[in-house]
Every structure is written in structure tokens, then in C-alpha cells.
Amino acid sequence: GVLDNVGGPQLARAFALLAVGGSVQSIGATSGEPTVFEPYATVGELRSVQSFMMGGELAGDLAVLVGMLAEGRLDPQIGRRGDWKDVASAVEALFARRIAGKAVLEVS
């Protein structure tokens, strides 16, 4: 499965890489670009794109994700780690798309 918060062409690429039975959870669209699927990309093997919206009771879902992280079954794609004091640099790097993955800032 894939959690995608970029949308646009990346969402279409993620969908194309799914195994049978896989799912892309679309949780954002920071690219601001439309998602265009190749002809027949959504026909055939069972794969899905599902939307997600914050709200309601999330504790159970978050517990499942934390468990998957602890078991090594989920890769959070951390592209940068640093101190919270360096937040401006991290934000700048994220907006400039110089970080592949997530930025994790530690509070000291």
C-alpha cells in the first residue's frame, strides 16, 4: 500500500506500482497538479485509490500504523532528521522538494 500526500503524476505512478489487491490512500494534493491515469490503467487487476480525510476516531488506525512501524512492515521514508531549532531550514528544503520523504524534527 501507499500513503500519498502529493497527488498529481505521483499518485498515478504509485497506483501503477501497486501489487494485486494493493491500495493507494490519497491523503493530500500538495503538487497542485491533476492526476491523469494512462488509458486502461484502472482496468483489470484489483487495485484501488481511496480518499482520506482527517476527523472522527483515528486512534485505532494510528495504532495499526504504529504496530506496522514497530514490526518493520512500514517504511516511513524519512529523508531528513534534525533539531526543531532548524525548522526554517527543514521547511525551506521541503518546499524546494530537496527532501525525498518526510522531515522529522526532534524537540530537545
Side-chain angles (χ1 to χ4, degrees), residues 59-70:
D61 292 337
L62 292 175
V64 169
L65 291 174
V66 168
M68 291 174 71
L69 277 169

Side-chain angles (χ1 to χ4, degrees), residues 23-83:
S23 173
V24 175
Q25 302 295 311
S26 179
I27 60 174
T30 59
S31 73
E33 299 177 56
T35 301
V36 179
F37 294 94
E38 293 292 325
Y40 297 100
T42 60
V43 176
E45 298 175 330
L46 178 61
R47 298 173 293 160
S48 65
V49 175
Q50 298 177 337
S51 61
F52 177 84
M53 185 86 135
M54 289 297 290
E57 181 56 46
L58 299 176
D61 292 337
L62 292 175
V64 169
L65 291 174
V66 168
M68 291 174 71
L69 277 169
E71 295 166 3
R73 295 177 32 218
L74 181 64
D75 181 356
Q77 300 290 309
I78 297 171
R80 177 180 175 147
R81 285 185 179 272
D83 192 282

Side-chain angles (χ1 to χ4, degrees), residues 5-6 10 29-32 76-84 86-106:
N5 64 350
V6 176
Q10 178 172 296
T30 59
S31 73
Q77 300 290 309
I78 297 171
R80 177 180 175 147
R81 285 185 179 272
D83 192 282
W84 178 255
D86 195 26
V87 67
S89 174
V91 169
E92 178 187 340
L94 284 167
F95 282 140
R97 300 200 184 278
R98 292 192 307 264
I99 298 174
K102 311 292 183 279
V104 175
L105 300 177
E106 298 173 3

